[in-house]
Amino acid sequence: MNGEWGLPSDTQDTFVSFDRVQKSYDGETLVVKDLNLDIGKGEFLTMLGPSGSGKTTCLMMLAGFETATHGEILLDSRPINNIPPHKRGIGMVFQNYALFPHMTVAENLSFPLEVRKIGKSEREAKVMRALDMVQMGDFGGRRPAQLSGGQQQRIALARALVFEPELVLMDEPLGALDKQLRETLQFEITKLAHRLGITVVYVTHDQTEALTMSDRVAVFDDGRIQQLDAPDVLYEQPQNSFVAQFIGENNTLTGRVAEMHADMCVVRLDDGELIDAVPVNVSAVGDRTQVSIRPERVEMNKDRLAPDAHTLKAEVLEFIYMGDIYRTRLRVAGHENFVVKTRNAPDQPRLKPGERIEIGWHPQDCRALDA
Amino acid sequence: MSDATAGNLSQAAAEARREDAAQTGPMLAADGRPLKRSLNRALRAQKLRALALIAPLLIFLLVTFVAPILDMLFRSVENQIVSETLPRTVIALDGWDATDLPDDATYAALAHDFKEAAERRIHTRLGSRLNYEATGLSSIFRRSGRGIDGVGEPYADQFAALDPAWEEPATWIALMADPDWISEQADWLEAAQDTPEPAFRLVPGIADVLPETTDAYRSFARTIQTTGRTPESPLTKEPWATVYLALYRDLSGATGADIGAYSGPGATRLQTAADAVAGFETIPLRDAFAEVADGWVQMPVWTTIQTFSDPYTAGYFLAAVDLQLTPQGIEQVEDNQRIYLTLFKRTMVLSLTIMGLCVILGYPIAYLLSNLPMRTSNMLLILVLLPFWTSLLVRTSAWKVLLQQQGVINDLLVWIGLVGDDARLTMINNQTGTVVAMTHILLPFMILPLYSVMKTIPPSYVRAAKSLGATNWTAFWRVYFPQSVPGIGAGCILVFILSIGYYITPEIVGGRTGIFISNRIAFHISDSLNWGLAAALGSILLALVLVLYWLYDKIVGIDNVKLG
Ligand SMILES: Nc1ncnc2c1ncn2[C@@H]1O[C@H](COP(=O)(O)OP(=O)(O)O)[C@@H](O)[C@H]1O
Ligand SMILES: [Mg+2]
């Protein structure tokens, strides 16, 4: 896909803009391939992608620690390629926090203010305000080593915000924390970002984090943006099989397009069975395709489907009781990892391994993607 | 049985059980032994195994490190040589007020001590030792070894003239020796002489009659029995002249001898001699010693012996800081002999200079190395280590070739025209040479700890600083540098401590003005053989290092030192 990702029409001005940016470290392979990306003022944009997909590199180019091999990066409509990092005024939060170990928390926070030659009393006031903002007001005198991981990350956040930058970059800031702390901090970061009205470019490889925090998510793979959309669109309407696989849980079946209609197609699976799907990136009868269906959109009750809908035979391999949901693993069309999630409700059957059932879905939930 | 009694009984039983537990006290293991003891036993095996593993190294360290250091510390205060070589003199001098030359008894004691020492050939050693404290004593001692017999000979001659029997070994043996020993000795002489010679024994009681003579004769007998390549027997050897001196002094009543009480062999001969000594021609011992060596009738030799008669002395330590012990107390040595304080100061100043140069030169290199990709930095690190694989001597000599007046650098400077041919720089055999060569040699010791510390500083710190608005310099100075300080600390300690003990390089390129205290220590160890002073200098150096280490710990904190 050749991504030209502009802003959704209803958002404000472009604040950051990547224009045909390429990056190569070794002169042989491109780590970032032709990146075009506009980020709006006040937007919370997440770069999501597997490790090595070039997310950090993009962030470092924006921060000024790497230079683009080709293309331009604009900040507030000004090209920043020739502005040194310390003049860009971009706040940054690192995964390892990068709090200066020889300074106290308060000294860490006042560092960006000192280098900006801000007077002492104003500095102290701002440091105090920033510490209060992350609920760490009592910790000014401590050394970073005397804080827990979550506390350190809060301080790092406060330090990136204390000099009131308009743009803040965060590179996997919560990667080293445990799940519960991550969820708390995710919430706090989004709340703070919206309250302060800053633009945030957030990097993560955790899709839940991306979905819950962001206004828009850019899914990276292989140095390209595979899809850039709001979280719900991304989840419900993946544009290719990579995005479908990467975001959330997903069942895929392979086959060829058998019939092609305007907004519907019929796919003949490899074992000969037929199913309905929405054509996304298939164009003609005979194209190979991967159809993708979310586990929670699979219907096991035939009565709820349209009368002429195609159904598939399935054999129950495993039934897992997970409290709020049931998770059933099926053998479908020769695939053994077909998962169905059903709500734990009185009308839902608890299936036993070996049972044979029929499954189906509403055609709009199933997307025929690239093979 | 009523319910109440039953209740009471069960309560009593419970109490008894509780008491039982309280009496047994410690927790028991499954086999009934106290848990603590079982645990100790289990741990003991582990400890023994651990000990066995480190034992070879421990022993090695004890033998090659701890023991030499203790020996050095001991040597720096040890001074038994005086009291061991001149035991009688040291006792006689005890209480001497050092206002005038000592009395006759002291001279007599010296005569006996010195004769024995001369026979054992240890008088020159003492002479060398005392020469450290007062120059000239060595030659007095050396000359006296030959002339000491002159002190006793007049008496030997007069006793022989009185009765030729006094020249006979047998006369003396009969007078002095234990009869049992005499027969053992005779047997030994007749036999193959391959068994150890029976040690001379005095006949009981003779020491009361002739105290000084007995002492002198025993000294004679024991000495000839134990010195020389072929031990000699008192049975066949005429006593030393000093024994006759002792006999004269005993018989003339100078020592409180009681001849009338004697009735053993040769009693009449002894009585005759006692009656005759009053008519002997005598020379005051002082004058006799003046003949031997005129130093003996001057004060310095006596004051020196008295001052250093204690088995332990602070003299070496005082000498090591240009002080000396005199009868009047502690004084500075003369100006032209003060060298050690200067040397200590120079060692410190030059070591600090070298350390500073190493930091200045090593820091950028370590910084570069730690910021290069692993492969390149490993290769460059080999270049840093390369000097380690070249002989120290070769490297130092190479500097000699480079730095000398007709050397490569001077040639180059002259060729460029920077200095005139007649004004070539002196860069070797002075402090410049020492500093240049030692900085080169010790540089790796600075680079390696710096490198290993810098390697652990994540680049994200500097990036964070820059993103917060710091210029390159501010980011370096306020964020990077403080974190590299532990490396600087480690490097400085290594370089400084290695440097103040350095010896070979200053020796080769230091000339006269560029040598360190260690060169002087080496000189005393191998040339002047003044091991006591060498040990004192070494001890002071050790103490200096420890003090500096302690100071460093106070100021910088030793846990602020990281070697990697
Ligand atoms: N400094 C660098 N030198 C050479 N290659 C690099 C460097 N930084 C990253 N890379 C390479 O670039 C690719 C993308 O890396 P990165 O941007 O860190 O990915 P991500 O942050 O998405 O995990 C990876 O293949 C990585 O090996
Ligand atoms: Mg990354």
Side-chain angles (χ1 to χ4, degrees), chain B residues 103-126:
Chain B
D103 58 10
D104 256 14
T106 310
Y107 274 105
L110 176 69
H112 299 311
D113 283 340
F114 208 94
K115 178 63 188 171
E116 183 177 331
E119 285 295 317
R120 293 185 187 274
R121 298 180 201 288
I122 54 174
H123 62 296
T124 49
R125 236 176 54 195
L126 178 62

Side-chain angles (χ1 to χ4, degrees), chain B residues 208-229:
Chain B
D208 303 329
V209 185
L210 299 169
E212 189 169 321
T213 316
T214 311
D215 182 42
Y217 189 82
R218 186 178 48 196
S219 151
F220 152 76
R222 288 271 166 87
T223 304
I224 63 164
Q225 275 191 323
T226 52
T227 53
R229 211 170 303 129

Side-chain angles (χ1 to χ4, degrees), chain A residues 25 31 50-57 66:
Chain A
Y25 285 106
V31 171
S51 175
S53 55
K55 309 177 300 281
T56 299
T57 306
E66 297 290 352

Side-chain angles (χ1 to χ4, degrees), chain B residues 237-427:
Chain B
K237 196 156 161 66
E238 184 192 352
W240 299 329
T242 47
V243 178
Y244 293 95
L245 167 66
L247 184 62
Y248 168 76
R249 283 170 49 76
D250 276 340
L251 296 182
S252 64
T255 60
D258 180 13
I259 303 148
Y262 183 70
S263 59
T268 42
R269 189 180 301 122
L270 203 59
Q271 196 54 58
T272 320
D275 298 338
V277 287
F280 273 18
E281 183 192 337
T282 62
I283 333 142
L285 277 175
R286 195 173 297 183
D287 298 345
F289 267 95
E291 292 288 308
V292 177
D294 47 12
W296 289 115
V297 289
Q298 286 153 17
M299 291 295 281
V301 65
W302 290 107
T303 53
T304 309
I305 290 176
Q306 194 192 33
T307 312
F308 291 93
S309 58
D310 284 340
Y312 299 98
T313 177
Y316 293 123
F317 276 102
L318 293 173
V321 290
D322 293 336
L323 298 175
Q324 63 184 354
L325 198 60
T326 63
Q328 287 80 43
I330 295 167
E331 288 175 3
Q332 275 212 314
V333 298
E334 284 151 41
D335 278 349
N336 57 358
Q337 289 174 8
R338 283 178 209 162
I339 51 170
Y340 297 115
L341 282 182
T342 322
L343 271 177
F344 272 119
K345 210 160 69 201
R346 183 194 299 157
T347 305
M348 292 291 146
V349 170
L350 289 193
S351 295
L352 284 173
T353 312
I354 290 161
M355 187 184 91
L357 283 175
C358 281
V359 174
I360 292 171
L361 295 177
Y363 197 92
I365 293 173
Y367 181 80
L368 181 73
L369 283 176
S370 63
N371 282 302
L372 284 174
M374 203 62 173
R375 266 191 35 207
T376 332
S377 71
N378 276 347
M379 225 183 54
L380 292 177
L381 211 57
I382 289 177
L383 292 182
V384 170
L385 290 175
L386 209 58
F388 277 140
W389 302 332
T390 324
S391 153
L392 178 63
L393 223 54
V394 172
R395 276 182 284 158
T396 308
S397 308
W399 278 113
K400 209 157 179 130
V401 174
L402 283 173
L403 294 176
Q404 61 188 320
Q405 293 221 306
Q406 302 302 322
V408 180
I409 292 179
N410 263 315
D411 282 349
L412 201 70
L413 290 177
V414 169
W415 185 71
I416 296 172
L418 225 55
V419 299
D421 200 9
D422 48 350
R424 284 168 176 261
L425 303 176
T426 329
M427 295 180 288

Side-chain angles (χ1 to χ4, degrees), chain B residues 3-35:
Chain B
D3 271 50
T5 19
N8 278 344
L9 274 181
S10 67
Q11 203 176 334
E15 237 155 50
R17 267 202 304 281
R18 217 172 311 135
E19 248 169 41
D20 206 34
Q23 266 164 15
T24 332
M27 191 90 94
L28 296 188
D31 58 359
R33 267 193 271 266
L35 192 56

